[in-house]
Amino acid sequence: MPGATTWLPHPTVPAPEPEPRPRDAVAAAIGNASLLSIGYLLLGRRLLALLTLLGTAVLVSVVVAVPSVWLEVAVLVWWAAMTWHGWHLGSGRAGSVVRRHRRVALAVAVPVLLVFGLVRFDAARLEGNVTEARQQGDCARAETELAKVWFGHRVADAPMTLRTDRTVDACRRLREASGRLDAALAEGDTDALGEGFRGLGVVLAALPGHDRMADVALDRFLDGLPTEDACRTSSLTDWLKARKPTGDGRDRAATAVPRVAPAALLGCGDVRMAARDFRVAQQRYQQLLDDHPGHELTGKAQEGVTKARLAAELAHVRNLHGGYCSRPAAYSGAPEFRRGAVNRAVVWGNRQHVDKLPGDWLTHDVGEAVLVVCTGQTEFGAPTQTCPYRSTRSGQVGSVTFRKIAIPVKAYELRTGKVVVETRVEIGGTSCPGTFFASGDGPPPNRYVSPSDGDVRAGYAAVIAP
């Protein structure tokens, strides 16, 4: 149209292309080598950085929780894979160098790797010290070194901490076992001794490599033998002697028995003798003779057996008192019964007129006696004389027969417990006194004679001095 203006479209100016993010393969590889996913952050891969960081955390947690060489290899593979992947993602522009990124990557990776290397080196040093202590059997030193293990060691060298944890467990078990062995030494408790040996056995069987530590614990127990109490020591050596071999280091404990047991058995026998426990004393002396024939102490043990046996026999006889007459027993330490000599006697039963016997014929201590004389009830013996008597009360006249005093007697030789005299002792005396007292209206038909000391002596002479 005339006079019209023509409008043309405004030419479109293309928007400038965004400048690509600089990618430095070296910086990405170094950043990822820290295992903190720094390389991915430098490349702008935030989500990938977060996911891989979580993966690293999980893997490290598993390694710490379940120490294993294979898991440590897995961490190494993960580290190599992340380093390579950072390099791979950063190589889109070959030859790109981003110095700022490299400085950041180096600032993070170098300290991490340096700390890792130092901690691992320290872990190796600690393990070396623990190994040396283990070889020396020194649990105290090993535990001092193991107290220095911290979380960093478990991250940097998890298998090392697994090995050292075994030493921690071994020392704990050995400490408990040593406590039970100490209790056995202090109290003579064989149950505690058994528990201690079982504790040593667990370490030897389940925690190999700690044999020397177990040996030291066992040596400490064996060095405590003998204890100051001989009977306590003999109880422990009895247990060691009866223990069945197990084919490990504990078996050498049996070597302490011949070294310690003889003197302990003899000493225990002496202690029990002093306590008047003659049965146990004899058992201990006899055990020394049976278990250690030819030992230099067997002579004293044989003397002890004899002394204990005699003491037990004498104690038994003394405890019988008058019951001896119904249950006679031997005391083989008593003198032998001899005819034609005075055999000193202890009299049980009817002691009428016994006090008229000579003092050297009698004793109240059965341990000094040759005979045990058991006397029965007094009876009328043979008649000696008959005389007439009139009762002053009723005037009745009657004859009274005077008879000897008869006493049934059974005499045992104390040495053998056998009867050597069984008789009826008859004691004579004077008859027909001018008067005598009697109950009743008339005189009694029978009456005992009145013995003198000589009469009593003559009557018992057939028993005590035959």
Side-chain angles (χ1 to χ4, degrees):
M1 294 181 61
T5 303
T6 303
W7 296 89
L8 298 176
H10 191 276
T12 301
V13 179
E17 293 182 6
E19 184 177 351
R21 185 182 182 88
R23 294 185 296 177
D24 188 330
V26 173
I30 294 174
N32 277 1
S34 68
L35 279 181
L36 298 177
S37 300
I38 299 299
Y40 294 136
L41 291 175
L42 295 176
L43 295 173
R45 301 293 187 92
R46 295 181 181 179
L47 179 58
L48 183 59
L50 178 60
L51 293 176
T52 54
L53 185 60
L54 289 174
T56 299
V58 170
L59 188 57
V60 169
S61 298
V62 172
V63 168
V64 172
V66 188
S68 166
V69 174
W70 290 109
L71 287 175
E72 193 172 53
V73 171
V75 172
L76 182 61
V77 171
W78 177 258
W79 173 81
M82 285 187 61
T83 303
W84 173 84
H85 195 231
W87 172 272
H88 176 72
L89 291 180
S91 62
R93 294 179 62 187
S96 295
V97 176
V98 185
R99 298 187 182 280
R100 182 172 59 85
H101 286 185
R102 291 191 178 186
R103 285 196 295 272
V104 171
L106 288 171
V108 175
V110 169
V112 168
L113 294 176
L114 181 60
V115 169
F116 178 86
L118 290 174
V119 172
R120 191 173 178 90
F121 173 79
D122 189 53
R125 181 188 63 81
L126 283 176
E127 184 175 20
N129 291 342
V130 171
T131 300
E132 184 178 345
R134 190 168 60 239
Q135 292 171 347
Q136 294 173 349
D138 191 346
C139 253
R141 180 188 171 194
E143 289 180 319
T144 299
E145 294 295 327
L146 291 169
K148 301 174 185 177
V149 175
W150 62 294
F151 180 77
H153 292 124
R154 298 187 179 278
V155 173
D157 196 347
M160 180 280 291
T161 60
L162 176 62
R163 293 188 292 271
T164 54
D165 283 348
R166 291 195 184 100
T167 299
V168 171
D169 188 26
C171 286
R172 177 184 61 81
R173 291 179 180 275
L174 290 173
R175 186 166 52 252
E176 293 173 354
S178 292
R180 301 310 294 153
L181 295 176
D182 289 343
L185 289 172
E187 303 167 12
D189 185 351
T190 54
D191 289 337
L193 181 57
E195 291 172 8
F197 266 69
R198 282 191 292 274
L200 297 180
V202 170
V203 173
L204 293 171
L207 296 167
H210 299 87
D211 300 32
R212 181 57 188 150
M213 287 180 164
D215 286 344
V216 168
L218 181 59
D219 286 340
R220 184 168 175 270
F221 165 73
L222 296 178
D223 289 344
L225 295 175
T227 70
E228 67 277 7
D229 187 314
C231 289
R232 186 193 312 160
T233 301
S234 60
S235 295
L236 299 178
T237 53
D238 283 350
W239 188 92
L240 293 175
K241 182 176 181 295
R243 177 182 173 273
K244 295 181 180 179
T246 50
D248 55 36
R250 295 173 294 170
D251 290 349
R252 63 188 179 84
T255 61
V257 175
R259 172 178 64 87
V260 174
L265 290 170
L266 183 66
C268 184
D270 293 343
V271 169
R272 299 323 303 165
M273 278 290 291
R276 302 184 64 79
D277 189 354
F278 306 123
R279 180 183 60 83
V280 173
Q282 185 175 354
Q283 289 175 350
R284 284 311 194 190
Y285 292 134
Q286 189 62 51
Q287 184 179 348
L288 171 53
L289 296 174
D290 295 340
D291 294 351
H292 307 279
H295 192 275
E296 59 183 7
L297 296 177
T298 53
K300 292 183 177 180
Q302 187 60 64
E303 293 176 6
V305 167
T306 302
K307 287 172 58 178
R309 176 175 54 79
L310 294 177
E313 291 176 359
L314 181 57
H316 175 63
V317 168
R318 280 176 170 158
N319 289 335
L320 289 173
H321 300 290
Y324 184 98
C325 296
S326 58
R327 299 187 303 276
Y331 167 46
S332 51
E336 184 179 1
F337 173 75
R338 294 181 300 161
R339 295 191 179 275
V342 174
N343 297 280
R344 204 170 188 190
V346 59
V347 179
W348 280 325
N350 179 8
R351 293 184 56 85
Q352 188 178 15
H353 308 297
V354 169
D355 57 343
K356 295 182 178 181
L357 292 174
D360 61 343
W361 283 26
L362 301 175
T363 179
H364 293 290
D365 182 2
V366 71
E368 299 174 353
V370 177
L371 294 175
V372 175
V373 177
C374 298
T375 55
Q377 294 299 317
T378 302
E379 303 171 352
F380 285 112
T384 60
Q385 188 177 357
T386 300
C387 299
Y389 284 91
R390 181 173 61 85
S391 172
T392 58
R393 179 178 179 183
S394 64
Q396 182 180 353
V397 177
S399 296
V400 178
T401 299
F402 286 82
R403 297 176 177 273
K404 291 183 178 181
I405 301 169
I407 300 174
V409 171
K410 186 180 288 187
Y412 295 88
E413 181 187 29
L414 184 59
R415 182 185 183 90
T416 62
K418 296 180 179 180
V419 176
V420 291
V421 177
E422 186 170 7
T423 186
R424 191 167 179 260
V425 170
E426 292 200 352
I427 303 172
T430 60
S431 306
C432 298
T435 60
F436 63 86
F437 293 96
S439 60
D441 293 334
N446 294 292
R447 188 169 177 84
Y448 292 114
V449 298
S450 299
S452 65
D453 292 358
D455 293 327
V456 174
R457 176 173 180 168
Y460 274 97
V463 178
I464 297 176

